Amino acid sequence: MVEGMHMRFLEQPVCQQIMDGATIETSLFWRDDNTSILCKCRPDIRRNDGVLVDLKTCADASYNEFRKAIVNYNYDKQAAFYLDGASEALGRKFDQFIFICIEKREPYDIAIYHINNAVVDVGRELYKKSLRKYKRHLVTGEVGYPTEIQTMDMAAYGFSYEDR
């Protein structure tokens, strides 16, 4: 399976263009300005033109399924965290994030998605909230979920009735 996925990746001209001159899997470290927490990211692919790329394997790389995966697996949060982290760690602007999605079954179809600024902005709010929560835990020892009853809003999931 891995060999098949790799061969498919190598056959894809856009994947080769993305890889051209890129740095592969290097760890980057920085301290978050707001919380002073030491952070780390490890982009799969880091290009010199301000683009970070992450490879994702998936059962279904279609647009709607990957859109759901962004919400379910916090890929928006990852994109913003990596862009901000690379910018801080390397002292230059990284402002574009791309996911290369490779399906796990033959014919190992590939879809490539550029994450727009609106998605990154939501992800940024989410990762900053997570860092604040972690900092609060470090200071107070507080953990867990709210104990009061909460109202569930499906719009927060990111889909309208028309999408379902």
Side-chain angles (χ1 to χ4, degrees), residues 10-74:
L10 293 176
E11 294 168 2
Q12 182 65 255
V14 175
C15 292
Q16 293 311 303
Q17 290 171 359
I18 288 170
M19 295 287 294
D20 187 36
T23 302
I24 309 302
E25 289 193 9
T26 56
S27 296
L28 303 172
F29 300 89
W30 72 99
R31 194 163 295 279
D32 177 64
D33 288 337
N34 296 319
T35 62
S36 299
I37 293 173
L38 182 62
C39 299
K40 171 192 171 188
C41 68
R42 189 174 172 90
D44 290 337
I45 301 167
R46 186 180 81 232
R47 294 174 44 92
N48 292 328
D49 59 359
V51 178
L52 298 179
V53 183
D54 196 61
L55 302 174
K56 295 292 185 200
T57 60
C58 50
D60 184 343
S62 68
Y63 183 87
N64 278 333
E65 287 304 310
F66 193 68
R67 203 169 87 169
K68 289 178 199 174
I70 288 172
V71 173
N72 288 338
Y73 301 113
N74 291 308

Side-chain angles (χ1 to χ4, degrees), residues 4 7 11 33 39-40 57 78 89 91 134 137-138 153 159 163:
M7 291 305 297
E11 294 168 2
D33 288 337
C39 299
K40 171 192 171 188
T57 60
Q78 174 196 356
Y134 180 60
H137 165 71
L138 292 176
D153 179 3
F159 298 96
D163 292 329

Side-chain angles (χ1 to χ4, degrees), residues 4-157:
M5 293 167 76
H6 181 247
M7 291 305 297
R8 186 79 160 122
F9 180 88
L10 293 176
E11 294 168 2
Q12 182 65 255
V14 175
C15 292
Q16 293 311 303
Q17 290 171 359
I18 288 170
M19 295 287 294
D20 187 36
T23 302
I24 309 302
E25 289 193 9
T26 56
S27 296
L28 303 172
F29 300 89
W30 72 99
R31 194 163 295 279
D32 177 64
D33 288 337
N34 296 319
T35 62
S36 299
I37 293 173
L38 182 62
C39 299
K40 171 192 171 188
C41 68
R42 189 174 172 90
D44 290 337
I45 301 167
R46 186 180 81 232
R47 294 174 44 92
N48 292 328
D49 59 359
V51 178
L52 298 179
V53 183
D54 196 61
L55 302 174
K56 295 292 185 200
T57 60
C58 50
D60 184 343
S62 68
Y63 183 87
N64 278 333
E65 287 304 310
F66 193 68
R67 203 169 87 169
K68 289 178 199 174
I70 288 172
V71 173
N72 288 338
Y73 301 113
N74 291 308
Y75 293 157
D76 51 352
K77 194 174 179 179
Q78 174 196 356
F81 185 72
Y82 278 35
L83 287 170
D84 290 355
S87 296
E88 183 68 26
L90 298 172
R92 58 189 174 93
K93 187 72 172 164
F94 285 84
D95 58 0
Q96 302 295 315
F97 201 94
I98 294 172
F99 284 107
I100 299 175
C101 306
I102 306 174
E103 291 183 351
K104 298 178 193 178
R105 282 178 263 128
E106 288 188 66
Y108 309 113
D109 283 336
I110 294 176
I112 303 170
Y113 300 108
H114 171 261
I115 303 305
N116 71 25
N117 291 337
V119 174
V120 171
D121 289 344
V122 169
R124 183 171 289 115
E125 288 182 37
L126 291 170
Y127 95 71
K128 287 180 179 283
K129 179 180 175 184
S130 292
L131 284 175
R132 287 191 304 272
K133 183 177 179 181
Y134 180 60
K135 177 72 173 195
R136 188 171 52 252
H137 165 71
L138 292 176
V139 171
T140 68
E142 177 186 315
V143 296
Y145 296 102
T147 55
E148 68 273 1
I149 296 172
Q150 301 175 71
T151 300
M152 181 60 63
D153 179 3
M154 288 307 288
Y157 190 73

